[in-house]
């Protein structure tokens, strides 16, 4: 099972490379627009270096937020999948009964014994 999960992890990594590249491109565009606007406004009032610093201060947090949030969500889904696989593998190896089988067999409560009249007469 460990080898199968290793192969699935490698496949997931290879499949996610184009997704990461697309996310980087989208994050650059979305974070670059406000950075260019702020940088242009600061360049009118201050030096070029101050404009670049202001643009970087605006763009960096927005870029990383737009990049980290989707990647964390996708990584969380894969981690949940991985944990489920290992849990089900453990259950198969230990051979626990399935939860449905346990629930399908309701326990019958034992009825208390009723004293009989013949038993009461003998006492």
């Amino acid at each position: 099972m460990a080898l199968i999960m290793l192969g699935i992890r490698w496949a997931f990594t290879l499949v996610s490379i184009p997704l990461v590249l697309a996310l980087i491109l989208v994050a650059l565009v979305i974070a670059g627009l406000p950075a260019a606007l702020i940088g242009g406004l600061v360049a009118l009032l201050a030096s070029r270096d101050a404009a670049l610093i202001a643009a970087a201060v605006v763009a960096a947090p927005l870029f990383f937020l737009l990049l980290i949030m989707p990647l964390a969500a996708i990584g969380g889904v894969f981690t949940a999948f991985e944990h489920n696989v290992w849990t089900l593998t453990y259950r198969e190896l230990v051979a626990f009964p399935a939860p449905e089988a346990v629930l399908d067999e309701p326990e019958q409560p034992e009825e208390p014994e009723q004293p009989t009249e013949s038993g009461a007469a003998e006492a």
Side-chain angles (χ1 to χ4, degrees), residues 91-92 95-105:
R91 288 181 63 88
E92 281 292 320
F96 282 125
E100 296 82 26
V102 173
L103 294 178
D104 286 342
E105 300 172 9

Side-chain angles (χ1 to χ4, degrees), residues 18-45:
L19 177 68
V20 170
L21 293 176
L23 280 173
I24 288 173
L25 182 65
V26 169
L28 280 174
V29 170
I30 292 175
L33 294 175
L37 180 65
I38 295 296
L41 291 175
V42 171
L44 294 174
L45 303 173

Side-chain angles (χ1 to χ4, degrees), residues 44-66:
L44 294 174
L45 303 173
S47 68
R48 180 175 179 257
D49 292 335
L52 289 175
I53 291 172
V57 166
V58 170
L62 188 58
F63 172 77
F64 287 115
L65 181 71
L66 291 170

